[in-house]
Amino acid sequence: DAGVIQSPRHEVTEMGQEVTLRCKPISGHDYLFWYRQTMMRGLELLIYFNNNVPIDDSGMPEDRFSAKMPNASFSTLKIQPSEPRDSAVYFCASSPQPGNTQYFGPGTRLTVL
Amino acid sequence: KNEVEQSPQNLTAQEGEFITINCSYSVGISALHWLQQHPGGGIVSLFMLSSGKKKHGRLIATINIQEKHSSLHITASHPRDSAVYICAGWKTSGSRLTFGEGTQLTVNP
């Protein structure tokens, strides 16, 4: 199994631009989580999906952030417009059941100039 | 007060030493996860436990439900164990992980 796949691994963009992060979970995992990691706040849950349905998006910082999961093998996290304070590492993780071991992707390091 | 608190924040050890990282958590957390994050940034799940003790190689994780406390032990530490170790609690209400601040471990040869 290839594990959780994220792309791109690094993204550098300018303030105001749209950014799209992508995630492919492990096949058969019904739960998909998006996290953000910063030096100041550590790891934070942004949103998670169960069977492609968003269950809890209370961690999404503001309306500039949106996430979709059109099918069981693909999810996107979009930031529009991006701001310098969005600079962070964004992780996607998947899990077969809630509370079970989560398998993390390699992360996307986002830098907004 | 954070729902999951780790100590110490930083830990430096000599190769071969026995290492302990502690985690205390609040009510509402039903399971504890221990994660490892290497300097390259990738996160690996080491253990998930809701009771007792688990062992994998030189790593041992324990949890005391009454005291709401978990420990991660590393026996015969090695420089390749140098990483950030993160304790995370699974909140039954909300079905989400809540993370500790992490412990930066450095093992010197």
Side-chain angles (χ1 to χ4, degrees):
Chain A
D1 198 326
V4 176
I5 299 172
Q6 289 187 250
S7 65
R9 295 290 306 274
H10 301 272
E11 177 82 29
V12 179
T13 191
E14 293 189 345
M15 185 173 67
Q17 297 297 308
E18 177 179 295
V19 174
T20 300
L21 311 181
R22 297 173 177 80
C23 175
K24 177 178 167 52
I26 293 173
S27 177
H29 283 192
D30 292 335
Y31 287 81
L32 183 141
F33 304 83
W34 281 102
Y35 295 100
R36 179 172 67 175
Q37 186 179 39
T38 61
M39 289 293 291
M40 290 295 294
R41 299 171 67 93
L43 272 164
E44 302 174 285
L45 175 69
L46 297 176
I47 184 171
Y48 80 92
F49 295 83
N50 177 23
N51 290 322
N52 314 338
V53 177
I55 302 301
D56 184 349
D57 65 354
S58 60
M60 297 285 262
E62 48 199 273
D63 291 345
R64 297 183 298 106
F65 285 68
S66 63
K68 294 182 180 179
M69 193 164 185
N71 57 62
S73 59
F74 184 66
S75 178
T76 60
L77 178 68
K78 186 176 293 187
I79 309 172
Q80 166 64 22
S82 58
E83 297 182 3
R85 60 192 166 121
D86 302 329
S87 297
V89 181
Y90 292 81
F91 288 99
C92 174
S94 71
S95 170
Q97 293 287 337
N100 274 22
T101 296
Q102 293 188 13
Y103 297 83
F104 286 76
T108 295
R109 183 173 296 276
L110 173 65
T111 303
V112 183
L113 302 174
Chain B
K1 186 181 187 297
N2 290 340
E3 294 174 289
V4 174
E5 295 197 336
Q6 278 183 248
S7 63
Q9 284 192 324
N10 293 282
L11 182 56
T12 300
Q14 289 299 123
E15 184 172 356
E17 286 185 357
F18 181 84
I19 287 163
T20 297
I21 300 170
N22 295 300
C23 177
S24 55
Y25 57 94
S26 58
V27 171
I29 287 174
S30 60
L32 243 290
H33 296 240
W34 283 100
L35 311 173
Q36 180 192 56
Q37 186 170 29
H38 272 284
I43 297 174
V44 174
S45 181
L46 298 174
F47 297 104
M48 192 273 290
L49 65 166
S50 54
S51 65
K53 173 179 166 178
K54 289 188 177 179
K55 184 176 189 289
H56 186 258
R58 296 180 294 106
L59 300 178
I60 303 167
T62 63
I63 189 168
N64 183 319
I65 298 169
Q66 284 72 32
E67 295 185 4
K68 294 185 177 46
H69 181 270
S70 178
S71 294
L72 177 68
H73 306 285
I74 305 175
T75 62
S77 61
H78 190 276
R80 65 175 175 265
D81 297 326
S82 298
V84 175
Y85 292 84
I86 302 168
C87 168
W90 178 257
K91 294 180 62 174
T92 310
S93 166
S95 293
R96 57 169 56 206
L97 280 178
T98 183
F99 297 90
E101 294 184 354
T103 296
Q104 173 70 62
L105 171 65
T106 303
V107 181
N108 294 318

